[in-house]
Amino acid sequence: MTANKGNIELTKVSKVYPNGVVGLKDINLKINRGEFVMIVGLSGSGKSTLLRAINRLHDVSEGQILIDGQDITKASGDKLHKIRRSAAMIFQNYNLVKTSSVYRNVMSGRVGYYPAWKGALGLFTKEDQELAAANLDRVNLLDKYYVKARDLSGGQQQRVGIARALMQEPSVILADEPVSGLDPKTTKVVMNDLKKLNEEDGMTIILNVHSIGLALKYASRIVGLKNGQIVYDKPIAEVDKRDFKEIYREAGDDSSDAADDAEEA
Amino acid sequence: MKESIPKRPFVKEWHLVGFTIFLLLVFAVILSAQAAGVGQDFSADQFFDLWVKMANPDWSYLPDILTPLVQTIQMAIVGTLIGCVAAIPFALLSASNIVKNGFVRGIIRFIMNLIRSIPEMLLAALFVAVVGIGALSGVCALSVFSFGMMFKLLYEAIETVDQGPIEAMRAAGGKQSQVVVFAVIPQVLNQYLSFFLYTLEINVRSSAVLGYLGAGGIGLYLNTTLEMFRYDRTSIVILAILVVVVFVDALSNKLREALS
Amino acid sequence: MMVKKRSFYQQSRPWLIAAIVLIVIVWAFSGLQFAGVKDSAGQILGSIFSGLFHPDWSYVYSGHGEDLLSALLETLAIAFLGTIISSFIAVPFAFWAAHTTKKFSLRSTSGKFVLTVIRVFPELVLAIMFIKAVGPGAFAGVLAMGLHSIGMMGKLFSEAIENIDRGPEEAIVAAGGNLLDALSWATLPSVLPEFINFTLYRFEIAVRSASILGIVGAGGVGAPLIFALSTRSWSRVGIILIGIVVMVTAIDWLSGTIRRHLLK
């Protein structure tokens, strides 16, 4: 992995949906290589929109998003595919093809490197097949190589999702609520896998969570979003649990839940 | 970070099962193509001539087919109604959560499967032979067909109802008839109505051709116009069927959405 | 809390619906003249049943092609060819007709319309048309069955496409794939089992339809049946009916087994 990759810079990014709803408002954010950034906020605060905008699954209305100096908001065609390749997504619903084998699902992360017909016929190079095995081994699922994705548990499916993301050989991993469907024990396994990538490979990780507890435990930096705006941004050393009351308060809302969550952590 | 790819048995590695199925399919296609005499000369002139004639429909024929068109819908409604009502007791009798006697259920399902395996056009042909030409034989054919279809849909629905209310009724000392009336019927009523509409949709489609065999409705006009080579009129008949089918489907879809 | 009083409309709605249903039923019955059951109806029914119990076993296999077995095989061949060919042709139609956005789409609406038009042509009518082109025989049956199946399977397939999870496609795009990649990596693998399932289902129906195509001369077991009915050879009718029921049941069982295995 080349050094000095995995830097992201958002400048004045705004997103207004066609129906007039404001998704993101004037976001300025600079994330450096090797950071583990957790984005917290209520559902609807724009967390998901922000993450998807970085990979351009959503278009933004204004502003620019630089991934290692290249502006993804204006890229198209091959250039867009190349930039996307360096920023891998991990999804809340895993987004695996349930009827395909684990192996094919992992291989599909390599899609940017093959023409479509080769992918369809399963004509992969020996090196890539070995890479798939290696990545599956990293998430401890090598024994599930030929198993169909639908026969795996949620936690295992998410780890296949991570192995798929690794096939892109990315410098950034964008994880959109990757553990919200999982139980505490599986959550820990998945989070530790991500932490390992962050520490051992120096990948930049940007992760959306509901749970403040998780953020406090794993993040190197916490960013709070509210109504599409950044309302909080501190490195973990400066974070105070009580800060989150503000982020999680809505008009007339009793924010004790979020506060409790923070206390537990 | 080299990692060896897991090995799997020879049969799986080379997808032998898949290949065998593929070869069998190819073989079956070749055999069937021979049996069906595929590859005869396709006389495009005749075929396109027919389409050209059909593309110029004889609109003056429309008033003549309105009555049989209405009769087709009436046949479909009556046939569906008779068949679907008759299916209720048999569906109840063959649901395993109501009738514990496996022998009774087995017998009923066996007979029902036999009935369901007869294509409805065949039923129509048989009924025309038995009761004679006319709408009655069409209604009979549609009734038997709806009967078989509703039976299957309904007993499967009954078998998958929530067991809680049934057990509660039994625990409270309810008789079998009370269990059915208070615990089963309320749970499947909406599904039943939805199946009814679905069956009606299918019956409207098929009743349009039943008449071809003399079983009443607009199908008769398909037969006569085709035999007289009046393709300009055939296309009117087909257009009329199209309108009715689309309308009934749309109406039935709306009602089914309202039910669910 | 007070019980909210229902409006007049709410109170009368069930009665209104019941009244409409009743009117429709009365109207439907009123339109049919039930006069004219043939006097001989009971006798013919008896003959058919007696034929069923005393079938003409000699017709099952005669050795020179004019028997039940070859007629049934021809029926199966028509259904099989018609289904398998159109299962491929139906795929592009299905993608054309699939409604994949929430908004109105001209592509999907036009595709759905074309499929509806194809489906509305009854197989019998298509068979008659194809007989004009290729002459009477099973080939006309195959063409009719195939064309009608495109309409049926195109609809079923497009619904399968509409119902799959869009997530995997998104994942492929996010990984740097283009639309073609998303199709071959995510969409096709997801819908393929559904397509096979619907093809088998369609085959079950096609076997039933193919057994009546012979009525218009498009091959299969329908022709000898109609002939036996019109010549009142009831034992012949009996054996043909038995043959059809056995064939349909066997195909249903086989196809059902494969489908259960497939979707397990």
Side-chain angles (χ1 to χ4, degrees):
Chain A
M1 221 143 287
T2 12
N4 285 325
K5 283 227 162 181
N7 301 303
I8 291 174
E9 191 172 354
L10 288 83
T11 325
K12 292 188 174 167
V13 170
S14 293
K15 160 104 189 163
V16 182
Y17 286 98
N19 58 8
V21 173
V22 177
L24 296 172
K25 209 158 131 194
D26 199 27
I27 302 273
N28 290 293
L29 190 63
K30 195 169 182 318
I31 294 168
N32 294 317
R33 172 182 161 76
E35 283 195 88
F36 197 131
V37 181
M38 300 273 242
I39 302 175
V40 297
L42 291 164
S43 30
S45 60
K47 295 193 303 269
S48 193
T49 313
L50 177 63
L51 214 61
R52 281 157 181 269
I54 296 176
N55 189 275
R56 209 170 148 199
L57 285 177
H58 286 336
D59 277 316
V60 294
S61 322
E62 265 175 66
Q64 64 172 7
I65 300 173
L66 300 180
I67 298 177
D68 292 325
Q70 286 180 297
D71 189 355
I72 196 171
T73 58
K74 297 197 177 54
S76 64
D78 255 6
K79 193 169 175 218
L80 173 63
H81 298 152
K82 286 251 166 62
I83 304 178
R84 273 179 172 156
R85 218 158 74 177
S86 61
M89 283 284 297
I90 291 171
F91 300 88
Q92 182 179 359
N93 304 319
Y94 326 132
N95 287 1
L96 304 181
V97 179
K98 299 279 191 296
T99 47
S100 289
S101 65
V102 164
Y103 156 70
R104 274 199 71 88
N105 271 298
V106 171
M107 264 307 184
S108 73
R110 205 76 186 154
V111 59
Y113 299 78
Y114 284 96
W117 65 272
K118 272 197 176 173
L121 294 175
L123 300 170
F124 312 117
T125 61
K126 189 84 183 157
E127 289 78 45
D128 284 350
Q129 292 184 23
E130 275 162 4
L131 185 62
N135 284 330
L136 268 174
D137 194 42
R138 287 191 80 170
V139 293
N140 283 324
L141 286 174
L142 191 55
D143 56 323
K144 305 286 185 195
Y145 199 75
Y146 296 112
V147 176
K148 281 193 175 167
R150 65 176 170 203
D151 295 331
L152 299 181
S153 70
Q156 288 172 328
Q157 290 194 29
Q158 191 56 289
R159 280 147 63 206
V160 172
I162 293 174
R164 174 176 64 188
L166 289 177
M167 288 304 282
Q168 294 176 230
E169 301 185 315
S171 49
V172 182
I173 287 188
L174 308 165
D176 189 8
E177 309 227 5
V179 292
S180 65
L182 304 177
D183 62 55
K185 201 175 152 207
T186 335
T187 297
K188 207 173 154 192
V189 176
V190 171
M191 288 304 294
N192 284 338
D193 278 341
L194 289 170
K195 187 77 188 164
K196 219 162 69 181
L197 297 178
N198 176 247
E199 285 172 350
E200 291 174 10
D201 298 29
M203 281 183 204
T204 309
I205 294 187
I206 308 176
L207 195 147
N208 283 345
V209 273
H210 265 320
S211 153
I212 308 265
L214 274 182
L216 290 172
K217 193 164 170 207
Y218 288 95
S220 68
R221 173 178 169 191
I222 295 181
V223 172
L225 230 58
K226 191 177 175 185
N227 301 329
Q229 284 177 297
I230 293 184
V231 292
Y232 188 86
D233 187 356
K234 281 184 186 170
I236 192 76
E238 296 171 23
V239 170
D240 187 314
K241 286 171 193 170
R242 279 162 300 191
D243 294 345
F244 298 108
K245 281 199 172 175
E246 182 51 36
I247 301 174
Y248 277 87
R249 183 174 296 144
E250 272 182 305
D253 179 43
D254 170 15
S255 64
S256 57
D257 283 357
D260 287 349
D261 196 10
E263 294 304 323
E264 276 167 32
Chain B
M1 53 180 214
K2 273 222 153 166
E3 198 61 48
S4 63
I5 304 151
K7 289 272 174 289
R8 54 180 169 175
F10 179 76
V11 173
K12 286 213 167 143
E13 182 62 35
W14 294 98
H15 305 285
L16 284 190
V17 177
F19 266 118
T20 315
I21 293 174
F22 178 73
L23 286 179
L24 281 176
L25 278 178
V26 170
F27 194 57
V29 166
I30 294 170
L31 275 187
S32 333
Q34 277 176 346
V38 170
Q40 278 158 292
D41 285 340
F42 191 94
S43 112
D45 303 352
Q46 288 254 12
F47 192 63
F48 287 117
D49 176 48
L50 188 147
W51 283 95
V52 169
K53 281 184 181 152
M54 285 189 64
N56 299 298
D58 173 14
W59 292 101
S60 65
Y61 193 54
L62 194 57
D64 295 345
I65 59 170
L66 285 181
T67 318
L69 196 62
V70 169
Q71 193 190 39
T72 303
I73 302 171
Q74 289 171 323
M75 271 166 56
I77 293 176
V78 173
T80 313
L81 193 68
I82 295 174
C84 288
V85 170
I88 297 174
F90 291 92
L92 284 170
L93 280 178
S94 64
S96 59
N97 50 353
I98 294 179
V99 173
K100 295 283 172 241
N101 187 335
F103 183 71
V104 175
R105 276 187 283 131
I107 293 274
I108 293 177
R109 282 193 203 176
F110 178 72
I111 296 171
M112 286 299 180
N113 280 335
L114 287 188
I115 293 175
R116 281 196 316 117
S117 68
I118 307 176
E120 55 194 327
M121 286 296 278
L122 252 182
L123 286 171
L126 287 175
F127 277 111
V128 168
V130 173
V131 298
I133 286 170
L136 181 59
S137 46
V139 169
C140 289
L142 290 172
S143 299
V144 173
F145 176 77
S146 323
F147 178 63
M149 182 161 152
M150 177 55 102
F151 163 78
K152 179 156 191 280
L153 291 171
L154 187 58
Y155 98 73
E156 283 171 353
I158 293 174
E159 288 201 332
T160 49
V161 296
D162 181 9
Q163 285 297 308
I166 297 178
E167 279 163 15
M169 282 296 295
R170 291 226 168 97
K175 286 194 297 258
Q176 189 70 343
S177 58
Q178 290 173 314
V179 170
V180 169
V181 173
F182 293 106
V184 177
I185 290 182
Q187 289 195 62
V188 293
L189 187 64
N190 272 7
Q191 270 175 299
Y192 178 79
L193 294 176
S194 172
F195 294 154
F196 180 90
L197 291 167
Y198 176 63
T199 313
L200 183 66
E201 274 177 52
I202 293 179
N203 280 346
V204 167
R205 279 166 198 276
S206 41
S207 64
V209 278
L210 287 183
Y212 194 91
L213 300 165
I218 192 143
L220 176 66
Y221 292 74
L222 276 180
N223 191 341
T224 44
T225 54
L226 282 167
E227 268 179 8
M228 297 191 309
F229 305 108
R230 288 299 302 265
Y231 302 119
D232 51 340
R233 292 187 162 176
T234 309
S235 63
I236 286 285
V237 177
I238 288 174
L239 272 178
I241 296 174
L242 173 73
V243 170
V244 169
V245 165
V246 169
F247 173 73
V248 171
D249 277 11
L251 186 70
S252 160
N253 274 332
K254 275 270 169 297
L255 288 173
R256 274 156 63 188
E257 269 168 30
L259 280 171
S260 60
Chain C
M1 251 216 241
M2 252 177 50
V3 179
K4 215 174 185 180
K5 205 151 188 250
R6 295 194 301 171
S7 69
F8 176 73
Y9 170 70
Q10 280 171 322
Q11 278 180 351
S12 52
R13 215 173 78 117
W15 298 105
L16 201 68
I17 292 173
I20 292 173
V21 170
L22 202 65
I23 290 169
V24 169
I25 292 173
V26 169
W27 169 77
F29 273 94
S30 73
L32 307 170
Q33 293 93 33
F34 285 118
V37 178
K38 282 201 293 197
D39 301 332
S40 54
Q43 188 207 331
I44 294 175
L45 195 65
S47 312
I48 289 179
F49 272 102
S50 122
L52 272 175
F53 289 110
H54 304 96
D56 177 7
W57 292 110
S58 66
Y59 179 61
V60 174
Y61 183 71
S62 65
H64 43 75
E66 293 290 317
D67 51 25
L68 180 63
L69 219 53
S70 45
L72 289 178
L73 279 178
E74 194 177 67
T75 310
L76 276 181
I78 294 171
F80 179 70
L81 274 186
T83 310
I84 205 156
I85 294 169
S86 47
S87 71
F88 288 98
I89 305 176
V91 174
F93 278 92
F95 278 98
W96 179 13
H99 193 74
T100 44
T101 51
K102 288 200 182 87
K103 283 176 286 187
F104 169 82
S105 130
L106 184 67
R107 170 187 59 78
S108 142
T109 309
S110 59
K112 280 194 194 312
F113 180 74
V114 167
L115 288 176
T116 309
V117 170
I118 295 178
R119 276 202 312 277
V120 87
F121 278 85
E123 277 150 332
L124 277 185
V125 174
L126 289 176
I128 293 166
M129 292 176 168
F130 281 116
I131 286 174
K132 302 272 174 212
V134 298
F139 187 34
V142 171
L143 292 173
M145 187 65 65
L147 186 53
H148 191 75
S149 295
I150 292 172
M152 298 291 288
M153 284 196 281
K155 176 173 187 262
L156 293 171
F157 287 6
S158 71
E159 282 167 1
I161 296 169
E162 285 163 13
N163 290 336
I164 58 160
D165 178 16
R166 296 256 97 80
E169 292 171 7
E170 197 177 39
I172 298 300
V173 171
N178 54 30
L179 288 177
L180 204 60
D181 292 320
L183 187 73
S184 76
W185 282 94
T187 318
L188 283 180
S190 304
V191 294
L192 204 60
E194 293 282 328
F195 283 6
I196 298 176
N197 179 36
F198 283 133
T199 304
L200 283 165
Y201 170 69
R202 173 64 200 164
F203 180 56
E204 291 174 27
I205 297 174
V207 170
R208 288 174 164 80
S209 309
S211 55
I212 53 112
L213 283 178
I215 290 170
V216 295
V221 75
L225 178 75
I226 287 293
F227 182 72
L229 271 174
S230 55
T231 54
R232 295 168 184 269
S233 9
W234 302 118
S235 57
R236 179 69 61 94
V237 172
I239 190 71
I240 294 175
L241 279 179
I242 292 172
I244 291 174
V245 167
V246 168
M247 171 181 71
V248 169
T249 310
I251 293 296
D252 279 7
W253 174 82
L254 186 68
S255 154
T257 311
I258 300 174
R259 285 165 63 192
R260 262 194 303 281
H261 186 74
L262 202 70
L263 296 179
K264 187 180 58 185

